[in-house]
Amino acid sequence: MGFTCGIVGLPNAGKSTLFNLIAKAGVPAESYPFCTIDPNIGIVNVPDKNLEEIARITHPDKITPTTLKIFDIAGLVKGAYKGEGLGNQFLGQIRGVDAIVHVVRCFEDMHVSHVYNEINPIADLEIILTELVMADLDIVQKRKDSVSRGLRVGKKDISKEEIELLDIAEKILLEGRCLIDAGLDLDQSLMKSWGILTAKPYLIVANIGEDEVTRESPKLSDLVQWGKEHGKKVIPISTKFELEASELDEEERREFLSSIGIEKSGIEFLIRACYEILDLITFYTPVGKELRAWTLKKGGNLYEAAGLIHTDIQEGFIKADVVSLPDFLKYKGVHGAKESGALLIEGKEFILRDEDVVVIHFR
């Protein structure tokens, strides 16, 4: 199972530079629109200090963090939902991801053009959101037409629930709102099958200037306020500054960031935030010579977790030893937790908790 985030925004907002930072892939980042036509794809490790703490107890030969897949999708423009600026192709690429990272330009730079000749982060963000809303409205209205035709000819496989959901979705979209922001309990698999864009969880990256890393930016403040009003996380990152810092070795980079009052890079905050909006949890398997972190959707059970590790383990599942991370660290491992009565022996229906340490027994 892989979870994906798509980086979207207007041309020249800094999407490819952000992608370079996340995936260290060195993709082009030119200062003209549509530099990125085919989406660049990177696999990124999720920062996780817990692995270091577990490793001090288990002494593995190999540590494998969990990962996210990141897509760098080309810049959208006004009219994308009608096909403007290769819009249909780019919107199609967004449909394949699980969550969206909106990159919004807050920095001033006379050498980097703005597609609408004005640095206005809220207006830029609302252009993109409107394009997604209009694309979804087109899908919903076409589906409503299809359902109506089906009812007229006596189709039996059309549910009352689907008709009601289409009516609700159309009303929300006509108001200019994203479905994810309407407080609905959305079936994401259904939304994905319809090709709906605005049902995906999203967050916002404010791409600030190098000189705004340590001082307040009015444009950033306005965007953060917009985020508070809409219940959305806004993560400020100076992609240019962090790209330069990333060229240092790890220790020098941390010392450099710390010297100007930054304890963690914006990229670390972003990756963790992507993980959170996807509603994921992490569990750990300290078995044999490898310590490994795994990603599971919140509410997933041990049987599903076993399937992530290997289908043979899932098919031969007998039971699992489960220890919460605090107990694992407190009692110095699975054996110590068992002796102290902190180890759970659970079957395949057990719902895993975030940061559980798991040893699965199988035939």
Side-chain angles (χ1 to χ4, degrees), residues 79 86 92 124 136 174 221 276 300 346 350:
L86 304 178
D124 289 354
D136 281 355
L174 283 170
S221 298
E276 288 163 12
E346 298 291 348
F350 178 79

Side-chain angles (χ1 to χ4, degrees), residues 1 25 37 76 244 311:
M1 182 188 295
I37 295 176
L76 296 171
E244 290 169 357
T311 53

Side-chain angles (χ1 to χ4, degrees), residues 209-319:
E210 291 176 279
D211 58 342
E212 295 167 326
V213 172
T214 55
R215 70 173 178 82
E216 190 170 338
S217 158
K219 288 183 171 62
L220 172 61
S221 298
D222 291 344
L223 192 58
V224 168
Q225 183 58 38
W226 185 98
K228 287 178 180 175
E229 291 169 4
H230 292 78
K232 297 300 169 191
K233 187 167 288 190
V234 176
I235 300 172
I237 299 176
S238 173
T239 57
K240 189 175 179 182
F241 172 83
E242 292 215 16
L243 195 60
E244 290 169 357
S246 73
E247 293 171 3
L248 303 171
D249 67 42
E250 185 67 17
E251 189 173 338
E252 287 178 326
R253 185 178 67 86
R254 290 198 177 278
E255 285 179 5
F256 171 61
L257 292 176
S258 182
S259 72
I260 57 173
I262 300 174
E263 294 307 315
K264 278 186 180 177
S265 76
I267 295 303
E268 289 182 63
F269 284 115
L270 171 60
I271 295 168
R272 287 304 314 180
C274 287
Y275 205 74
E276 288 163 12
I277 65 167
L278 283 165
D279 212 21
L280 305 176
I281 65 167
T282 302
F283 70 95
Y284 306 98
T285 54
V287 179
K289 295 180 179 180
E290 182 180 18
L291 165 61
R292 184 160 182 169
W294 303 86
T295 297
L296 186 67
K297 199 76 174 172
K298 191 178 289 183
N301 60 32
L302 275 170
Y303 186 72
E304 293 168 302
L308 292 177
I309 301 167
H310 200 285
T311 53
D312 289 348
I313 294 176
Q314 187 179 52
E315 289 169 7
F317 185 98
I318 300 171
K319 62 180 180 178

Side-chain angles (χ1 to χ4, degrees), residues 315-356:
E315 289 169 7
F317 185 98
I318 300 171
K319 62 180 180 178
D321 300 332
V322 182
V323 184
S324 70
L325 180 64
D327 284 341
F328 184 91
L329 299 177
K330 179 179 179 180
Y331 298 115
K332 308 298 181 189
V334 172
H335 183 70
K338 185 176 183 178
E339 289 190 335
S340 303
L343 179 140
L344 304 175
I345 300 174
E346 298 291 348
K348 60 177 69 173
E349 297 303 321
F350 178 79
I351 302 299
L352 277 174
R353 306 158 299 186
D354 192 25
E355 301 183 344
D356 271 342

Side-chain angles (χ1 to χ4, degrees), residues 16-176:
S16 292
T17 308
L18 180 68
F19 179 84
N20 287 344
L21 274 167
I22 293 173
K24 293 187 171 64
V27 302
E30 306 296 342
S31 60
Y32 54 87
F34 310 124
C35 172
T36 307
I37 295 176
D38 296 320
N40 297 295
I41 304 169
I43 307 293
V44 58
N45 292 337
V46 177
D48 192 344
K49 294 290 186 185
N50 294 334
L51 287 168
E52 295 174 18
E53 295 190 59
I54 296 170
R56 290 192 193 102
I57 295 168
T58 61
H59 307 292
D61 291 341
K62 184 180 180 183
I63 300 175
T64 304
T66 192
T67 59
L68 283 175
K69 188 180 285 186
I70 307 292
F71 282 68
D72 173 24
I73 295 167
L76 296 171
V77 293
K78 287 179 184 175
Y81 77 97
K82 296 185 289 188
E84 295 291 332
L86 304 178
N88 290 333
Q89 181 179 342
F90 300 158
L91 289 169
Q93 292 162 2
I94 300 170
R95 287 193 177 96
V97 304
D98 300 305
I100 298 173
V101 176
H102 288 279
V103 180
V104 181
R105 177 174 172 177
C106 294
F107 68 88
E108 302 272 358
D109 188 333
M110 62 182 294
H111 301 295
V112 180
S113 66
H114 188 287
V115 70
Y116 299 120
N117 301 315
E118 180 190 10
I119 309 301
N120 186 334
I122 293 175
D124 289 354
L125 176 60
E126 290 182 344
I127 286 171
I128 298 298
L129 293 176
T130 298
E131 292 304 316
L132 303 187
V133 165
M134 294 303 294
D136 281 355
L137 183 60
D138 186 52
I139 288 171
V140 166
Q141 290 179 334
K142 284 178 178 175
R143 189 160 186 89
K144 279 188 71 175
D145 289 344
S146 175
V147 166
S148 296
R149 286 195 301 272
L151 287 172
R152 285 198 298 271
V153 298
K155 267 196 168 185
K156 303 292 185 184
D157 59 346
I158 298 171
S159 70
K160 182 182 176 184
E161 290 78 11
E162 180 178 0
I163 296 168
E164 289 175 352
L165 181 56
L166 286 167
D167 285 339
I168 292 167
E170 183 182 39
K171 181 176 182 295
I172 292 163
L173 294 166
L174 283 170
E175 291 170 355

